[in-house]
Amino acid sequence: EDQVTQSPEALRLQEGESSSLNCSYTVSGLRGLFWYRQDPGKGPEFLFTLYSAGEEKEKERLKATLTKKESFLHITAPKPEDSATYLCAVQAEDSWGKLQFGAGTQVVVTP
Amino acid sequence: GAVVSQHPSWVICKSGTSVKIECRSLDFQATTMFWYRQFPKQSLMLMATSNEGSKATYEQGVEKDKFLINHASLTLSTLTVTSAHPEDSSFYICSAPLSRQPQFFGPGTRLTVL
């Protein structure tokens, strides 16, 4: 059974204090791993897709990396506007379109 | 990115009534849409896959007679929660994949059943 585990559950950072979020996964053939950002009361906002081990994607203060067992979302010098819940999801090769989500990491960045 | 809309954004209803939620792909056609449910402080759980012109497929444990899905056109899928009860109160979110693109999600619908 496909599984996605995110850690930590919650993270409190000072503005400028870099950190990393972890997403460990087990899936029978990975089609893609996705990172989303979700603000309270809103739908997930797409950040990155990673397809193969070794791949890296970057957007502003965020950088996502992928290995065969886990993915990291690095937040460099975060700002208060980076406060959100970050969701990781995997799509298996044999389940086109279906996403299996982790529980998310709630990030709070204080000024 | 592609835009997916939902209507209404929130709804309050009495126990025993039915509620319909719409999901639209605004600038692309979607033969498949997905419906997710999210309880407070929990992640998204896939409920069902909506297929244009055919029956929806439901995930294990989701009652198909309670959560009616209709995908009548390439841009619209509807989820009807029939005989809603307080335990159905949740955040319902739809998504639509675009070929070779990541899934884009709607803004969600907050359902509160009194």
Side-chain angles (χ1 to χ4, degrees):
Chain A
E1 185 181 324
D2 301 339
Q3 260 194 324
V4 182
T5 304
Q6 290 188 246
S7 62
E9 289 184 11
L11 190 60
R12 193 172 185 89
L13 301 171
Q14 291 275 356
E15 185 171 2
E17 179 188 358
S18 302
S19 189
S20 295
L21 315 182
N22 177 265
C23 171
S24 298
Y25 66 92
T26 54
V27 63
S28 53
L30 180 70
R31 179 180 290 272
L33 184 142
F34 301 82
W35 282 98
Y36 288 88
R37 168 195 171 123
Q38 186 176 29
D39 293 305
K42 296 189 177 181
E45 175 189 340
F46 170 75
L47 294 174
F48 303 109
T49 309
L50 301 166
Y51 294 103
S52 56
E55 191 174 359
E56 297 183 354
K57 294 260 178 90
E58 224 170 322
K59 178 183 177 181
E60 295 182 352
R61 295 177 293 282
L62 300 177
K63 179 180 177 180
T65 62
L66 181 66
T67 72
K68 288 187 177 180
K69 293 184 178 180
E70 57 191 351
S71 176
F72 290 94
L73 183 67
H74 307 278
I75 310 178
T76 302
K79 297 182 177 181
E81 53 261 42
D82 294 323
S83 297
T85 295
Y86 291 86
L87 299 169
C88 170
V90 298
Q91 183 177 324
E93 284 181 341
D94 60 353
S95 61
W96 187 86
K98 290 186 181 181
L99 296 183
Q100 174 84 27
F101 278 88
T105 294
Q106 184 178 21
V107 174
V108 174
V109 183
T110 56
Chain B
V3 179
V4 177
S5 71
Q6 282 184 242
H7 177 80
S9 55
W10 60 269
V11 57
I12 301 173
C13 70
K14 292 183 179 180
S15 185
T17 61
S18 295
V19 174
K20 181 185 285 188
I21 302 170
E22 294 184 348
C23 175
R24 292 182 186 273
S25 56
L26 296 185
D27 52 0
F28 65 102
Q29 294 181 329
T31 56
T32 300
M33 292 184 180
F34 298 95
W35 286 96
Y36 292 82
R37 181 168 51 182
Q38 186 176 34
F39 291 106
K41 298 195 180 296
Q42 294 186 27
S43 194
L44 282 75
M45 296 297 292
L46 179 65
M47 297 176 65
T49 303
S50 174
N51 304 297
E52 188 267 336
S54 64
K55 290 183 179 180
T57 54
Y58 292 81
E59 295 302 299
Q60 194 171 9
V62 178
E63 300 175 55
K64 61 180 180 181
D65 294 330
K66 181 170 186 61
F67 299 99
L68 302 180
I69 291 174
N70 187 307
H71 195 150
S73 78
L74 289 172
T75 59
L76 174 64
S77 174
T78 60
L79 169 69
T80 301
V81 184
T82 62
S83 186
H85 291 284
E87 57 266 30
D88 298 322
S89 298
S90 188
F91 194 50
Y92 292 86
I93 310 173
C94 70
S95 74
L98 188 58
S99 177
R100 297 183 180 276
Q101 297 291 326
Q103 282 188 40
F104 294 97
F105 285 82
T109 297
R110 171 74 58 195
L111 170 63
T112 302
V113 185
L114 301 176

